[in-house]
Amino acid sequence: MTDTPAPVDHVDVLIVGAGLSGIDAAYHVTKHLPGKTYAVLEMRDSLGGTWDLFRYPGIRSDSDMHTLGFGWKPWKGEKAIVDGPDILAYLEEAAAENGIDEHIRYHHKLLHADFSTEDARWTVTVERTDTGETLQLTAGFLWSTSGYYRYDEGFTPQFQGIEDFEGQVVHPQHWPEDLDYEGKRIVVIGSGATAVTLIPALADSGAGHVTMLQRTPTYIISQPAYDKVSARMYRTLPDKVAQKLVRTRYLTSRIAFYEFCQARPKESRALLRKLLERQLPEDVSFDEHFRPPYDPWDQRLCAVPGGDLFKALRQHTVDIVTDHIDRFTPKGILLKSGKELEADIVITATGLNLQVFGGATLAVDGAKVEPADTMAYKGLMLSDIPNFAFIIGYTNASWTLKADLVCEYVVKLLRRMDGTGNRIAVPRRDPSVTEEPFLDFEAGYVMRSIHELPKQGSSYPWRLKMNYFKDLLVFRRPVDDEALEFSA
């Protein structure tokens, strides 16, 4: 007698990651490709991705919810900049309303995927993160929606003497639920979106005193926490009309400001200075603490709703120090200037570690694929990798705007393949197109790992503008072009 191998589970579309992008992708398959089977792999025990992982005080998006929310599910709240728990509740509701939650396979981490040209399908190896079991399934189309950073590890530089520190060191990505910071002296290392979110929240919820320690200033802009104009539109206009007006309003203002900063850096610097200086107390120097050495939007601007960071500076519950760290001491941090910052808790809001496709490896007909050797086609597929798409959102606007465009395109691609009987679609590189960095963005977490990312090209369709309206024209063209090869 011989054992009969168990049948391998097969789906038409396999989505990897149940965060914002994965839910968006699953909705488009559910709504526009009702005849296709699909599953969503999620390595954690809950959906939501970033908005479930990060639990530090004050966690919020620095993108407005009217564009961070899905195009198919309008955000109708009065708050434009929304707290993390509200975003998570929104995602849970979106998944439940559309039956997406029934397709999510929790504790499933993608390890390896190998595409067979002969069979026109992926064979996928998955690890059960709850039991350690390894299993396989197959899919006709593989769609990575896992973002671009490591969920299990944040970035912390090598600080000399950190083992001598007698207090507690915490990374925001791994916030302890039982952290007691009431009345404590806290130093937050960093000046990015996490730091400017966390610092006023700590000061407002019982910390004794909070110091923002930065090596380099960041451009920070205040914006209203509430948007009564948009809320009024939703109360008085039909939903579809209101949503179109509200999203267009936010889109045009965001993109216009970005383009202004790119075209007129000197004037945009002056404008940002004027807006910020009037919110600072007299004893806080703009030139020392809020004048970055780079131009606006060379790195992402940090938004603070209602100017909460500046309010905390005016109330002197927060102060800011711009200096370099020499080493940790038993009582705190010694700076290059010779000053020592005493602390009970040090929070390292020092950034993310990038990771391509959630750390999974890819192969085509058994040959391993190195992502850095590929070129991104329209910012959503990779050269010479068949039946594969990914979602990486904008760095200068809401992530979901790009996700929505990619989802619409993948639906069109799969429909085109079904209509013509083709089972394989693969982008082929043009040798005349030169390589350029995938992200034209100087954030530290990008620059540390840019060599591991795919490349983009010097011309269309291997290069896209960081502009939603321009991308909209590209993605809504017919799928067929010379770079995309179809076969049966």
Side-chain angles (χ1 to χ4, degrees):
M1 295 179 63
T2 57
D3 292 331
T4 303
V8 176
D9 190 12
H10 178 81
V11 292
D12 295 320
V13 181
L14 185 63
I15 298 167
V16 184
L20 193 150
S21 299
I23 293 170
D24 203 5
Y27 170 83
H28 280 77
V29 175
T30 300
K31 183 73 173 179
H32 302 293
L33 301 167
K36 290 197 178 294
T37 58
Y38 78 93
V40 183
L41 304 185
E42 172 53 54
M43 68 178 181
R44 303 177 71 245
D45 60 1
S46 54
L47 62 80
T50 296
W51 304 109
D52 179 67
L53 175 69
F54 285 90
R55 302 293 181 93
Y56 59 81
I59 171 67
R60 66 190 180 215
S61 169
D62 61 354
S63 296
D64 67 273
M65 196 60 190
H66 297 292
T67 55
L68 185 68
F70 302 118
W72 42 271
K73 183 175 172 59
W75 173 258
K76 301 179 184 179
E78 284 195 3
K79 289 181 72 174
I81 302 296
V82 181
D83 297 333
D86 291 334
I87 299 174
L88 180 59
Y90 169 87
L91 295 176
E92 290 171 340
E93 184 177 271
E97 286 176 348
N98 295 281
I100 295 166
D101 51 351
E102 299 173 7
H103 293 261
I104 301 174
R105 303 183 186 186
Y106 293 107
H107 297 291
H108 281 58
K109 177 179 174 61
L110 175 63
L111 299 179
H112 181 69
D114 192 345
F115 185 81
S116 166
T117 302
E118 181 179 357
D119 299 325
R121 65 173 51 183
W122 290 92
T123 298
V124 173
T125 304
V126 174
E127 178 189 25
R128 287 292 305 252
T129 56
D130 51 349
T131 66
E133 176 190 3
T134 300
L135 52 93
Q136 283 192 332
L137 61 154
T138 60
F141 194 91
L142 182 62
W143 198 347
S144 176
T145 61
S146 54
Y148 58 21
Y149 72 88
R150 287 188 63 167
Y151 275 51
D152 61 338
E153 180 184 270
F155 174 72
T156 301
Q158 295 295 318
F159 293 117
Q160 185 179 353
I162 195 168
E163 66 281 354
D164 299 329
F165 180 54
E166 296 173 355
Q168 191 170 359
V169 179
V170 176
H171 193 287
Q173 192 167 325
H174 310 286
W175 192 267
E177 291 185 10
D178 60 350
L179 182 64
D180 178 16
Y181 56 84
E182 186 170 357
K184 302 289 180 66
R185 297 165 301 175
I186 302 175
V187 173
V188 179
I189 303 173
S191 59
T194 300
V196 302
T197 297
L198 179 59
I199 287 167
L202 290 171
D204 196 41
S205 58
H209 188 78
V210 184
T211 298
M212 177 177 174
L213 173 58
Q214 62 177 8
R215 182 176 57 185
T216 307
T218 298
Y219 286 106
I220 302 175
I221 188 168
S222 180
Q223 62 185 68
Y226 290 87
D227 181 2
K228 295 182 179 180
V229 173
S230 297
R232 192 179 304 120
M233 287 182 181
Y234 276 113
R235 285 197 303 269
T236 58
L237 297 172
D239 278 359
K240 288 186 178 180
V241 175
Q243 183 193 22
K244 189 170 184 178
L245 290 173
V246 169
R247 281 172 70 87
T248 301
R249 174 171 165 250
Y250 274 93
L251 276 167
T252 52
S253 60
R254 284 284 183 118
I255 293 172
F257 183 65
Y258 171 80
E259 295 293 343
F260 168 70
C261 290
Q262 294 290 291
R264 309 293 290 271
K266 183 178 179 180
E267 290 83 351
S268 60
R269 273 177 175 264
L271 174 61
L272 289 168
R273 178 174 190 137
K274 184 177 180 180
L275 292 173
L276 197 150
E277 272 188 322
R278 62 190 184 192
Q279 299 183 74
L280 293 177
E282 291 183 0
D283 59 345
V284 175
S285 167
F286 175 90
D287 286 325
E288 182 179 358
H289 303 305
F290 293 97
R291 187 180 179 184
Y294 52 86
D295 288 331
W297 274 117
D298 284 351
Q299 297 187 29
R300 191 177 177 99
L301 268 67
C302 291
V304 290
D308 57 5
L309 175 64
F310 308 122
K311 194 177 298 181
L313 287 169
R314 292 195 300 270
Q315 294 171 347
H316 295 96
T317 54
V318 168
D319 62 11
I320 183 168
V321 175
T322 303
D323 206 333
H324 288 246
I325 294 174
D326 181 70
R327 60 174 286 119
F328 274 66
T329 69
K331 299 299 181 184
I333 299 174
L334 181 65
L335 305 176
K336 293 287 188 183
S337 63
K339 181 179 179 180
E340 184 175 11
L341 299 177
E342 293 190 355
D344 303 302
I345 301 172
V346 172
I347 299 171
T348 54
T350 45
L352 308 169
N353 280 323
L354 263 61
Q355 187 176 60
V356 183
F357 311 137
T361 56
L362 303 179
V364 177
D365 294 325
K368 184 180 178 182
V369 172
E370 295 293 346
D373 295 336
T374 66
M375 184 175 285
Y377 170 79
K378 295 186 177 179
L380 65 94
M381 299 178 76
L382 294 179
S383 59
D384 299 324
I385 302 184
N387 294 16
F388 176 80
F390 64 92
I391 294 177
I392 291 182
Y394 291 119
T395 55
N396 65 343
S398 292
W399 180 279
T400 321
L401 294 172
K402 180 66 173 295
D404 279 344
L405 292 177
V406 172
C407 290
E408 290 179 19
Y409 181 91
V410 171
V411 166
K412 285 198 304 181
L413 175 66
L414 294 175
R415 281 178 170 172
R416 194 272 189 200
M417 292 170 68
D418 288 344
T420 56
N422 288 305
R423 300 175 65 201
I424 297 176
V426 55
R428 299 296 187 191
R429 287 180 68 163
D430 180 347
S432 67
V433 177
T434 57
E435 294 183 348
E436 296 186 2
F438 181 69
L439 294 173
D440 183 15
F441 195 53
E442 296 179 6
Y445 67 92
V446 172
M447 301 309 293
R448 285 193 300 270
S449 304
I450 194 71
H451 62 283
E452 300 175 7
L453 299 177
K455 305 296 188 295
Q456 69 170 332
S458 55
S459 60
Y460 174 84
W462 304 98
R463 180 178 180 83
L464 292 176
K465 303 291 185 182
M466 275 287 174
N467 184 304
Y468 173 78
F469 293 116
K470 293 178 181 178
D471 285 353
L472 191 65
L473 298 176
V474 169
F475 281 98
R476 292 190 174 169
R477 292 178 184 175
V479 170
D480 296 78
D481 65 34
E482 292 181 357
L484 193 59
E485 177 184 293
F486 292 93
S487 63

